[in-house]
Amino acid sequence: MSSYEQNNVFARILRGELPCKKVYEDEFALAFHDINPLAPVHVLVIPKGEYVSNADFAAAAPPELIVGFWRAVAKIAKDLGLDSSGYRLVANHGAQSGQSVFHFHVHIFGGKMMPHDMTKLPGAAAKG
Ligand code: 5GP
């Protein structure tokens, strides 16, 4: 995988150069609504650091950032009210996954029944 590109769209959101609909922020993570939601709840969580994908994040991030990031993901899902109904986490890595923004991010999908077939995306925003 190629190296981190400083002007990817999430780097620019992190630097405050582009707006986002913020859901949560702490020292480890920033979370905001996806611009093109694929479920009634579709939030993206990004770490505060320059990591291309999960492989890069797992290999290179300091342990406290990895722990803080994943704790933030769980807290955000809970704060969104998804704990009891359930939710899906997705992190795309590389071309065949369909990754389109090369700053590591986790998708939180919720608010509808997810298709069990992992080749399908969660689906349009209609309640399921
Ligand atoms: P990927 O395909 O890389 O896993 O996911 C990238 C996600 O970022 C897509 O779901 C896409 O809709 C979202 N996205 C792309 N550009 C922007 C943007 O400028 N703002 C927000 N909020 N989401 C974006």
Side-chain angles (χ1 to χ4, degrees):
M1 179 161 283
S2 53
S3 59
Y4 188 82
E5 202 278 294
Q6 304 276 337
N7 281 325
N8 74 75
V9 69
F10 294 169
R12 298 190 66 201
I13 287 174
L14 209 43
R15 291 198 295 266
E17 295 168 9
L18 292 174
C20 71
K21 285 171 65 183
K22 193 196 306 190
V23 170
Y24 178 80
E25 182 169 18
D26 65 18
E27 63 189 294
F28 306 112
L30 173 69
F32 48 89
H33 291 281
D34 196 290
I35 205 168
N36 180 28
L38 296 175
V41 179
H42 185 174
V43 166
L44 301 168
V45 191
I46 66 175
K48 291 193 170 176
E50 298 181 349
Y51 306 100
V52 176
S53 74
N54 183 55
D56 186 18
F57 185 63
E64 57 274 20
L65 178 57
I66 295 175
V67 171
F69 174 78
W70 285 108
R71 286 199 171 134
V73 171
K75 175 178 168 45
I76 292 157
K78 187 172 185 191
D79 290 352
L80 288 165
L82 299 176
D83 238 14
S84 58
S85 55
Y87 57 89
R88 176 172 290 172
L89 302 180
V90 170
N92 292 320
H93 169 92
Q96 288 197 345
S97 74
Q99 184 178 4
S100 61
V101 179
F102 293 91
H103 179 116
F104 172 51
H105 53 282
V106 170
H107 298 251
I108 302 175
F109 294 110
K112 66 173 293 223
M113 205 60 206
M114 299 291 144
H116 193 66
D117 181 350
M118 289 302 290
T119 64
K120 292 188 170 67
L121 286 167
K127 305 261 182 218

